[in-house]
Amino acid sequence: MRLRSWKARSKRALVAAALTTTVMAGTVGWTTGNEQQPLTGPPPGTSSWRADHSLGVRLPDPATASPNRVAAFFDTLSATRRHELMERHPSVVGNLDGAPTALRYEANSRFLRAERARERARSTDPDLTAQERERARALVVRYGELLSPGRHILAFDPRGRGQVAEVYGDLERAEHVSVVVPGSDIDLSTFDRANDKYGTPAGMGRSLYAAASHRTAVVAWVGYTTPVGLGTDAATGRLAEAGAPRLARFTQGLSASGAPRPAVFCHSYGSVVCGLAAPRLAATDLVVLGSPGMRADSVADLNTGARVWAARDDSDWIGKVPNVELFGLGHGEDPTAPGFGARRVPAEQAKGHTGYFAPGTDSLRAFVRIAGGGDSTDTDGTRTIGART
């Protein structure tokens, strides 16, 4: 009897897995040949940082030192010593979770200027191919955009497809902080693209910040290698498993540097990252939107003390993808399903897969309340946040 039951469950799971592939391919096109190699490990320039004994002490190892250890180390330094370290190692300080926020801004500005100068030289290098020179010219423009006055870059890593985190608001004085974690097809070049504005982390972050109280700061975080298209990377947890420790460390770094514990908003494949990071996230709230699953069967399986919220509008194509996890394919239960146990966020006014942060929507109004520490209300027996601002 048990064997027949197991076979039946396995058959249903295999059918669901096949449907997942079919639906995803038929909905937006299955992308092949785009397997990504995740960026892992410490920031660029770590080797020279480790070899620096100018202070007469061992500097905290970016690969192993906790954000609290990093914060404690910088607390022992004078402003002059901090600045000297930043000037010698901008690529490390700018990406070192737990380092002072203002120092990271300055370090990343310095690092961006250096990378822009390097790419400018490459753009006219006759030894490079025409394609390489064109890529260099594009990066010169991209880095110049990130260096625009008023932008606050909290992390920047040019390796691979590039990673970045940008702050909207005053992170050092904010009473509330939110972090936006994006899904597929996001990197340094698409972080704030003009088309599909609210499908980008910059667009989501700016919209939330504009709608929230001035006491709230928002961080748009692209600190992991995202899938490209909807191929095997998007259907498996490989990239999310590499990104989850980076997200957890980033949130721990915010707390270590004196910021309030954030509410973390996770879009699409970003919710897979958040689900795997959940036990280690230093967060008050975990909000998933347009989620294919969190690699968990229920809120209890996330092992988090954060409040868990879920949103999905009826026009979002992700709702057509069967929720399954078998042999590494799929991401598990639908977080909006009643049995999952998440608090529901209204999304009747959101449109499509990337409309949750659009101004005027009920979902954005709910996000603002969550970002500001608001509690939920009970409607029709379901834990659902109210639509009031």
Side-chain angles (χ1 to χ4, degrees):
M1 185 69 177
R2 289 182 179 177
L3 180 60
R4 286 198 299 272
S5 176
W6 181 86
K7 287 182 176 179
R9 289 196 301 271
S10 297
K11 183 177 179 180
R12 286 195 297 272
L14 286 169
V15 170
L19 285 172
T20 298
T21 302
T22 301
V23 171
M24 292 178 76
T27 304
V28 287
W30 187 268
T31 302
T32 59
N34 282 319
E35 183 175 279
Q36 303 295 300
Q37 293 306 311
L39 180 62
T40 58
T46 292
S47 295
S48 60
W49 168 273
R50 287 169 173 161
D52 188 340
H53 302 294
S54 61
L55 299 183
V57 296
R58 185 184 299 274
L59 303 182
D61 190 335
T64 59
S66 70
N68 283 332
R69 167 76 180 90
V70 171
F73 168 76
F74 277 97
D75 283 344
T76 67
L77 302 181
S78 67
T80 299
R81 290 293 193 185
R82 290 180 181 184
H83 201 266
E84 289 173 352
L85 270 183
M86 183 275 297
E87 288 182 330
R88 288 199 298 274
H89 309 285
S91 61
V92 172
V93 174
N95 293 284
L96 195 55
D97 295 315
T101 298
L103 196 68
R104 290 181 68 171
Y105 291 158
E106 189 175 357
N108 284 313
S109 179
R110 180 178 291 268
F111 189 24
L112 275 162
R113 289 195 299 271
E115 286 297 299
R116 182 174 61 175
R118 188 176 74 87
E119 294 299 337
R120 185 175 285 125
R122 285 170 50 82
S123 69
T124 58
D125 187 341
D127 292 332
L128 298 181
T129 65
Q131 185 177 17
E132 289 171 331
R133 291 194 296 272
E134 177 60 29
R135 168 65 174 164
R137 286 192 290 271
L139 287 173
V140 169
V141 173
R142 171 82 284 214
Y143 296 157
E145 292 169 344
L146 294 176
L147 283 165
S148 298
R151 301 194 76 164
H152 298 100
I153 306 302
L154 190 62
F156 164 66
D157 191 333
R159 296 176 298 176
R161 287 160 47 208
Q163 298 182 356
V164 64
E166 183 173 14
V167 177
Y168 312 103
D170 190 341
L171 183 59
E172 294 177 289
R173 294 179 175 84
E175 295 179 11
H176 304 285
V177 174
S178 292
V179 175
V180 174
V181 180
S184 298
D185 298 309
I186 299 295
D187 52 33
L188 189 69
S189 64
T190 58
F191 171 77
D192 53 359
R193 64 183 178 224
N195 64 312
D196 192 21
K197 179 178 180 180
Y198 300 111
T200 69
M204 290 186 276
R206 288 169 178 157
S207 181
L208 180 59
Y209 175 66
S213 161
H214 68 278
R215 299 187 300 272
T216 297
V218 181
V219 186
W221 180 84
V222 185
Y224 80 104
T225 303
T226 68
V228 172
L230 288 173
T232 54
D233 279 345
T236 66
R238 184 177 64 92
L239 296 181
E241 288 164 0
R246 299 171 74 86
L247 175 60
R249 182 180 176 87
F250 180 76
T251 61
Q252 293 162 11
L254 292 177
S255 297
S257 59
R261 293 175 66 193
V264 182
F265 293 83
C266 319
H267 179 240
S268 196
Y269 188 85
S271 66
V272 185
V273 179
C274 291
L276 293 173
R280 293 164 288 174
L281 278 183
T284 59
D285 294 84
L286 186 54
V287 189
V288 298
L289 41 141
S291 172
M294 301 179 74
R295 296 256 152 176
D297 291 330
S298 67
V299 168
D301 287 341
L302 293 173
N303 294 314
T304 178
R307 299 184 301 181
V308 180
W309 309 81
R312 191 185 72 213
D313 73 80
D314 291 339
S315 63
D316 189 339
W317 62 261
I318 203 75
K320 298 179 181 179
V321 178
N323 292 98
V324 62
E325 183 180 354
L326 181 71
F327 306 134
L329 177 68
H331 304 301
E333 184 60 75
D334 175 6
T336 65
F340 191 82
R343 307 177 185 213
R344 289 298 302 273
V345 174
E348 286 78 11
Q349 296 169 350
K351 301 299 181 185
H353 189 55
T354 58
Y356 296 95
F357 282 86
T361 56
D362 48 356
S363 49
L364 178 60
R365 290 193 294 270
F367 295 161
V368 167
R369 290 193 65 204
I370 296 169
D375 203 351
S376 64
T377 57
D378 288 328
T379 59
D380 300 328
T382 304
R383 300 284 289 179
T384 307
I385 195 163
R388 299 186 305 276
T389 56

